[in-house]
Amino acid sequence: MGGRCALALAVVSALLCQVWSSGVFELKLQEFVNKKGLLGNRNCCRGGAGAPPCACRTFFRVCLKHYQASVSPEPPCTYGSAVTPVLGVDSFSLPDGAGADPAFSNPIRFPFGFTWPGTFSLIIEALHTDSPDDLATENPERLISRLATQRHLTVGEEWSQDLHSSGRTDLKYSYRFVCDEHYYGEGCSVFCRPRDDAFGHFTCGERGEKVCNPGWKGLYCTEPICLPGCDEQHGFCDRPGDCKCRVGWQGRYCDECIRYPGCLHGTCQQPWQCNCQEGWGGLFCNQDLNYCTHHKPCKNGATCTNTGQGSYTCSCRPGYTGATCELGIDECDPSPCKNGGSCTDLENSYSCTCPPGFYGKICELSAMTCADGPCFNGGRCSDSPDGGYSCRCPVGYSGFNCEKKIDYCSSSPCSNGARCVDVGDAYLCRCQVGFSGRHCDDNVDDCASSPCANGGTCRDGVNDFSCTCPPGYTGRNCSAPVSRCEHAPCHNGATCHERGHRYVCECAQGYGGPNCQFLLPELPPGPAVVDLTEKLEGQGGPFPWVAVCAGVILVLMLLLGCAAVVVCIRLRLQKRRPPAEPCRGETETMNNLANCQREKDISVSVIGATQIKNTNKKADLHGDHGTDKNGFKARYPAVDYNLVQDLKGDEATIRDVHSKRDTKCQPQGSSGEEKGTPTTLRGGEASERKRPDSACSTSKDTKYQSVYVISEEKDECVIATEV
């Protein structure tokens, strides 16, 4: 992104430089000659006071304009104009640089803000003035001489000399056109300013061309030249001489591709490839298909055969064995040499060096007999029928001639650091502490005596044991109970005391609780002791039966008092109610169903008194609450009804109500008999009821008594009369 911005700025700068060119036309007046001091009209210049006659005080007007075939001295001066102060009188020379008058500098400069066209028209007028302050150029009377010429001029540092003569005056002058700093070319239209920053690294040539600094290239010298040999496609650089690799490439010149991660024996042509070398296979080229060639595992001249997937087999030469034929077969292992001959292993063979008196390939032939006394150390000699002899060695000696003393401890038979003691024909092992047995290879069981107490688990060691103690015990033998105060259960500076298998905390003043963890608002002076026997040991004390019984009695007394208050209130309410009308029972029919009233004059069926019963099974089922039913009975005392016999819980209550009502409504002592037989109403749906006699009959002699039979169906009443 930064490179693109730099390139864009450089292009814009170049375009602006093409438009805003810069150069200077310089005119140097060198010498003016006016020998006679005459004006252009041949009149004599009038000198000022004290001046000689015909003394022309000369100043110049210069007009630079575009090329004209016929030069006109009239304005406008398209390239610029200038009027000098009085430079001299009649004839004079002009030095370079500033003169006596600070307002004039030789040469005269005409700056250009556009491309130099290469041609121009120049008008130089020499004028006379009477006063140095009057430099007007419009009066033709002041003209001494006029130069009007056109020229072709190239840009350069060299001056072009010219001389203009008009007969009476001569003007020697020179001119040139030079470019401003950082501008070059034939028309000073090429802008070039050396720089060494992010926008370019170059200097400027004679024609304004950009000359890149060493290590840079490009139109604006913004591209660094990388390390020679750096791959142009796979490498890049930010500074000259560098070579940074793009993703997937590596190496000094970024010409090496990066293989697939994990590739062992493979190459790549493009990044992330893994092309296996010959003899290798697998995704990561890690499976050796030619293990024999790469590793040469077989030794001692064995022949290796590849079996695939990195496996091989070795065919060993005679005299060698092993997976890689690394083990030489020792032909002396079977001890082929006899009669004490020493065996030397050879490649696939052996040789025997026989002791004196024996010869043969395996020293099987003897040149001595028992007469020569060959047996040593008391060995008994016996001649063999086939020639030679043999020695029977005593205990503790061996060898063909019993020349070797047997060292039973040479094979280190004792284990576990035991010391071997040679006792002649045998050896003894003196065991270290904690071991036993012939060779001291049995570890003595230190747990055999059950040293761990209180159910601890014993682990046997070398002449030692360790006990894993159950919870609550510690020590080497688990014999010491764990201190209850060991883990500091008491807080806030309390003192812990052990009491058997428990602990108690002696709290500091101002604290309380089982572990003295609570801050108390006030405490009487003196230490507080908290016993945690029950909590810590999980043992419960005697149950507080006295407190429980006292609580139960208080609750029962409270309930009985409430019941007595309720009963008193109800009795007072019943006394305040008006008495029921005595004839209300025959004129009204009551039921707990809302729309079940009938008038007295409705026709009824006459049914035998012995066959009728008052059935009102739904009295309790459709009542809202028990208090409503009680109120209903009190309000209508002339109405009597029975409940279903299977509601056993209300039978006693019903009998009490009936007895009270009979006493109230029959003061003469007459009582009605309860009669009734099972009667089926409306298809046998009505349940059996008991019917009391009318509680409030108007006449004792009447033959008819009202009986109210209420059906179980809603909104139905059956009214009958008992005869």
Side-chain angles (χ1 to χ4, degrees):
M1 186 65 184
R4 294 181 179 178
C5 293
L7 181 61
L9 290 175
V11 171
V12 172
S13 176
L15 293 176
L16 291 175
C17 293
Q18 293 291 338
V19 177
W20 299 101
S21 305
S22 180
V24 179
F25 181 87
E26 296 180 344
L27 174 65
K28 184 187 297 184
L29 301 177
Q30 296 174 327
E31 185 179 3
F32 182 72
V33 178
N34 185 3
K35 296 179 180 180
K36 297 181 178 180
L38 299 176
L39 296 172
N41 55 9
R42 298 174 183 256
N43 293 329
C44 182
C45 295
R46 291 179 296 175
C54 295
C56 296
R57 292 183 177 87
T58 307
F59 70 96
F60 297 92
R61 184 183 78 91
V62 181
C63 178
L64 185 65
K65 58 171 58 177
H66 59 281
Y67 181 85
Q68 293 177 333
S70 176
V71 181
S72 170
E74 300 299 328
C77 300
T78 53
Y79 292 163
S81 63
V83 177
T84 69
V86 176
L87 300 179
V89 179
D90 292 339
S91 299
F92 53 87
S93 297
L94 298 174
D96 294 343
D101 192 339
F104 174 74
S105 178
N106 200 22
I108 302 171
R109 300 170 61 87
F110 295 93
F112 274 66
F114 48 88
T115 302
W116 172 246
T119 59
F120 65 94
S121 296
L122 178 64
I123 299 97
I124 303 176
E125 295 179 344
L127 301 171
H128 165 70
T129 181
D130 295 333
S131 172
D133 297 330
D134 184 10
L135 300 177
T137 61
E138 291 81 5
N139 189 356
E141 298 292 334
R142 294 184 173 189
L143 182 62
I144 299 174
S145 67
R146 175 181 289 149
L147 179 151
T149 183
Q150 67 270 70
R151 292 286 188 271
H152 290 270
L153 180 63
T154 59
V155 177
E157 296 289 334
E158 296 182 358
W159 291 90
S160 298
Q161 300 289 335
D162 204 346
L163 177 62
H164 174 71
S165 297
S166 62
R168 294 183 299 274
T169 61
D170 294 327
L171 176 61
K172 185 179 180 181
Y173 64 97
S174 61
Y175 55 90
R176 68 177 180 179
F177 190 92
V178 294
C179 297
D180 284 344
E181 186 181 10
H182 307 316
Y183 287 89
Y184 303 86
E186 295 181 355
C188 297
S189 58
V190 178
F191 177 81
C192 179
R193 182 175 64 186
R195 65 193 313 160
D196 189 11
D197 52 23
F199 300 102
H201 306 271
F202 56 85
T203 58
C204 299
E206 295 181 356
R207 299 179 182 178
E209 71 277 9
K210 295 177 178 62
V211 180
C212 294
N213 295 340
W216 298 92
K217 64 179 181 178
L219 181 61
Y220 297 99
C221 304
T222 55
E223 302 175 15
I225 298 176
C226 298
L227 180 71
C230 185
D231 194 286
E232 295 182 357
Q233 295 182 352
H234 309 140
F236 67 97
C237 59
D238 297 328
R239 297 182 302 174
D242 288 348
C243 187
K244 296 182 179 180
C245 299
R246 303 188 187 278
V247 177
W249 297 90
Q250 63 182 354
R252 176 174 174 78
Y253 303 106
C254 301
D255 53 355
E256 302 175 9
C257 58
I258 298 177
R259 298 179 298 173
Y260 188 83
C263 184
L264 295 180
H265 302 283
T267 60
C268 63
Q269 301 297 328
Q270 295 295 327
W272 322 125
Q273 291 181 346
C274 188
N275 303 322
C276 296
Q277 299 174 359
E278 183 179 0
W280 296 92
L283 178 62
F284 302 103
C285 301
N286 56 347
Q287 296 181 2
D288 195 348
L289 305 180
N290 193 0
Y291 195 89
C292 292
T293 302
H294 295 148
H295 300 278
K296 295 180 171 49
C298 301
K299 300 178 180 179
N300 297 313
T303 302
C304 183
T305 304
N306 291 308
T307 57
Q309 300 296 325
S311 301
Y312 64 94
T313 56
C314 294
S315 300
C316 301
R317 294 175 55 194
Y320 295 94
T321 186
T324 58
C325 305
E326 74 281 8
L327 300 176
I329 297 176
D330 189 2
E331 281 80 8
C332 292
D333 278 346
S335 300
C337 301
K338 298 182 178 181
N339 299 313
S342 60
C343 180
T344 302
D345 185 29
L346 302 176
E347 184 175 350
N348 198 27
S349 182
Y350 65 93
S351 66
C352 292
T353 302
C354 300
F358 294 94
Y359 62 95
K361 180 175 177 57
I362 56 175
C363 304
E364 73 278 11
L365 302 176
S366 175
M368 297 180 65
T369 62
C370 289
D372 299 325
C375 299
F376 300 98
N377 297 311
R380 296 177 59 185
C381 181
S382 60
D383 292 321
S384 298
D386 298 332
Y389 66 94
S390 62
C391 294
R392 182 177 297 176
C393 300
V395 176
Y397 294 93
S398 64
F400 187 78
N401 294 319
C402 304
E403 73 278 9
K404 298 178 181 179
K405 179 173 174 52
I406 299 176
D407 185 5
Y408 291 97
C409 292
S410 61
S411 60
S412 300
C414 302
S415 303
N416 297 310
R419 186 168 64 89
C420 181
V421 178
D422 190 357
V423 293
D425 58 346
Y427 65 91
L428 294 176
C429 291
R430 293 186 177 179
C431 302
Q432 296 283 349
V433 178
F435 294 95
S436 63
R438 173 174 173 77
H439 299 98
C440 302
D441 50 3
D442 296 332
N443 183 15
V444 176
D445 187 5
D446 298 289
C447 292
S449 60
S450 301
C452 300
N454 297 309
T457 302
C458 182
R459 292 184 180 180
D460 184 33
V462 177
N463 194 31
D464 196 6
F465 66 92
S466 61
C467 293
T468 302
C469 301
Y473 294 94
T474 184
R476 172 175 173 78
N477 299 324
C478 302
S479 57
V482 176
S483 174
R484 300 292 180 175
C485 295
E486 181 178 359
H487 300 291
C490 302
H491 303 290
N492 297 310
T495 304
C496 183
H497 300 280
E498 284 200 52
R499 301 289 172 81
H501 296 291
R502 58 186 177 83
Y503 71 91
V504 293
C505 294
E506 182 179 353
C507 300
Q509 186 174 2
Y511 293 94
N515 295 321
C516 303
Q517 71 273 31
F518 301 121
L519 178 63
L520 302 179
E522 291 184 2
L523 280 178
V529 179
V530 181
D531 194 345
L532 298 182
T533 305
E534 292 76 15
K535 284 190 176 180
L536 297 178
E537 302 299 329
Q539 298 176 358
F543 191 78
W545 293 107
V546 176
V548 174
C549 293
V552 172
I553 292 172
L554 289 176
V555 172
L556 292 177
M557 291 178 65
L558 182 60
L559 293 177
L560 291 175
C562 293
V565 172
V566 172
V567 171
C568 292
I569 293 173
R570 292 184 63 84
L571 291 176
R572 290 181 181 179
L573 291 177
Q574 289 180 0
K575 290 179 180 180
R576 292 177 184 178
R577 290 173 184 168
E581 296 179 4
C583 298
R584 196 71 172 173
E586 294 183 356
T587 58
E588 294 182 0
T589 301
M590 302 302 297
N591 199 346
N592 61 329
L593 300 176
N595 299 321
C596 192
Q597 296 182 357
R598 296 293 185 268
E599 299 296 338
K600 182 179 179 180
D601 55 351
I602 296 177
S603 300
V604 297
S605 299
V606 179
I607 306 175
T610 59
Q611 299 179 1
I612 192 66
K613 281 189 178 181
N614 186 356
T615 303
N616 190 5
K617 183 179 180 180
K618 295 184 179 179
D620 285 345
L621 299 178
H622 292 282
D624 292 332
H625 301 285
T627 57
D628 296 341
K629 292 186 287 184
N630 295 334
F632 182 82
K633 294 177 182 180
R635 185 176 179 182
Y636 302 99
V639 181
D640 190 14
Y641 59 93
N642 292 328
L643 300 177
V644 183
Q645 292 181 1
D646 55 359
L647 300 176
K648 298 179 180 180
D650 294 339
E651 287 180 359
T653 305
I654 295 171
R655 292 174 183 174
D656 294 340
V657 173
H658 288 172
S659 62
K660 290 180 182 180
R661 196 166 294 165
D662 291 342
T663 305
K664 183 177 180 181
C665 297
Q666 296 179 8
Q668 295 179 359
S670 62
S671 61
E673 296 179 359
E674 293 183 358
K675 301 178 181 180
T677 57
T679 305
T680 303
L681 301 179
R682 298 187 60 86
E685 295 179 359
S687 301
E688 191 176 46
R689 299 275 193 250
K690 289 185 179 182
R691 181 195 58 80
D693 293 338
S694 178
C696 298
S697 59
T698 56
S699 176
K700 297 180 181 180
D701 299 331
T702 181
K703 297 180 180 180
Y704 304 97
Q705 292 181 352
S706 297
V707 179
Y708 310 97
V709 181
I710 304 171
S711 174
E712 286 187 345
E713 299 298 329
K714 291 182 180 181
D715 300 336
E716 292 182 3
C717 293
V718 179
I719 302 173
T721 302
E722 181 180 0
V723 180

